[in-house]
Amino acid sequence: MPDTAPSGAQGYDWTEDTTLDLLADGMAALRVEPTGAGYLGAFLSNKLRVKSEARVQIETKLIDAYFENYHPVYPFVHEPTFRAQYHEILPRPVSASWKLLLSTVLALGSWSSGQTQTELDEQLYRRSISLGEDESIFEVANLTTIQALVLLSNLAQKRNRPNTGWNMLGLATRMALSLGLHREHPSWNVGILHQEMRRRVWWGLFLFDSGASTTFGRPILLPDQNSMDTCHILNIDDEVILHHLK
């Protein structure tokens, strides 16, 4: 008999970082609390360290470049929500995952702005990698972390670091499975935006990981069709999703 769906949109998120003082086991059969348990279980470089207004202007240009050049092909981040969180109109996720996602978006924005790699590209990439090395990344799973890892894996490949990207995809896949992104949850009372972003991230991860496996001649470790039932994504713009919420 399947478990009862959690009450909130973050109900499948989990953490085993003891510094956060949260009780969660993250295992499918060992629920401790419904909130905080796993699926089925209970920056910038020195050049950018400038005055706040100037830093925001630079970051805004890179964010604009990301959404203009990269996002139309890989819509793994909801643009209105991300921009509102960046300007703190909406609260940002409290974990280190937000910093990792922001840094990766900035790095991809810089990469997509020109035809050649620059010193700024490298600095932003290294910044993202250093944030990803934070040990709490390995002890927490949420949608923001997976978004960041999927994007960072693609950036690593674009920077001729295919095995680094491969490793990131592996971690993102395990996190996604622990959050149940490969399954639909009809009894889970969450909004269409959260459902759609879970689907976008899952299918983006599925395409990236299976594509990398095929390219490298390595086994595909993703679940088969009998083990997943996630719906396909909606063919609509980010702003249209917001209209559905009204």
Side-chain angles (χ1 to χ4, degrees):
M1 180 179 296
D3 277 10
T4 302
S7 58
Q10 286 75 44
Y12 286 117
D13 294 3
W14 58 265
T15 177
E16 294 176 341
D17 182 358
T18 56
T19 63
L20 298 181
D21 194 29
L22 294 175
L23 182 62
D25 57 73
M27 299 296 291
L30 301 177
R31 171 167 292 183
V32 178
E33 292 290 344
T35 300
Y39 170 59
L40 292 184
F43 116 122
L44 294 173
S45 65
N46 291 331
K47 285 190 174 182
L48 295 185
R49 297 186 187 280
V50 291
K51 293 182 179 179
S52 178
E53 291 184 4
R55 188 188 72 244
V56 170
Q57 289 179 354
I58 295 172
E59 291 181 349
T60 299
K61 288 182 179 179
L62 296 178
I63 291 171
D64 289 344
Y66 169 85
F67 283 109
E68 290 173 6
N69 302 321
Y70 186 89
H71 179 72
V73 182
Y74 305 116
F76 306 147
V77 177
H78 186 244
E79 181 177 359
T81 299
F82 181 87
R83 289 186 182 275
Q85 289 174 336
Y86 175 75
H87 293 290
E88 299 187 86
I89 299 172
L90 291 177
R92 298 177 178 181
V94 295
S95 66
S97 58
W98 163 256
K99 295 180 180 179
L100 177 58
L101 178 59
L102 172 60
S103 182
T104 304
V105 166
L106 295 175
L108 280 167
S110 178
W111 175 85
S112 67
S113 298
Q115 298 298 321
T116 59
Q117 294 183 2
T118 65
E119 183 181 353
L120 178 60
D121 289 348
E122 179 65 21
Q123 290 172 338
L124 289 168
Y125 171 76
R126 296 312 311 175
R127 171 62 172 167
S128 299
I129 292 295
S130 67
L131 288 170
E133 291 172 350
D134 182 346
E135 64 179 8
S136 67
I137 291 294
F138 298 98
E139 297 180 321
V140 175
N142 52 61
L143 190 62
T144 305
T145 301
I146 300 172
Q147 288 171 311
L149 288 172
V150 171
L151 293 173
L152 189 54
S153 73
N154 191 237
L155 178 60
Q157 289 194 8
K158 294 180 184 302
R159 298 194 63 80
N160 198 29
R161 294 175 171 91
N163 286 297
T164 299
W166 165 269
N167 288 341
M168 292 175 183
L169 285 172
L171 178 57
T173 299
R174 290 294 190 182
M175 285 187 179
L177 293 172
S178 77
L179 266 61
L181 265 62
H182 62 302
R183 304 301 301 267
E184 288 292 322
H185 307 277
S187 62
W188 192 10
N189 186 24
V190 294
I192 187 174
L193 174 59
H194 190 75
Q195 294 178 17
E196 174 65 7
M197 294 316 300
R198 284 172 59 92
R199 293 164 184 161
R200 287 190 187 186
V201 173
W202 171 252
W203 286 117
L205 173 60
F206 189 94
L207 291 173
F208 276 4
D209 192 66
S210 58
S213 298
T214 302
T215 300
F216 302 149
R218 297 170 180 173
I220 297 177
L221 303 179
L222 292 160
D224 58 31
Q225 291 184 349
N226 295 326
S227 303
M228 60 180 183
D229 60 2
T230 301
C231 294
H232 293 297
I233 65 174
L234 300 174
N235 186 24
I236 57 177
D237 293 331
D238 286 356
E239 292 76 9
V240 177
I241 302 177
L242 294 180
H243 291 311
H244 282 280
L245 299 177
K246 297 179 180 179

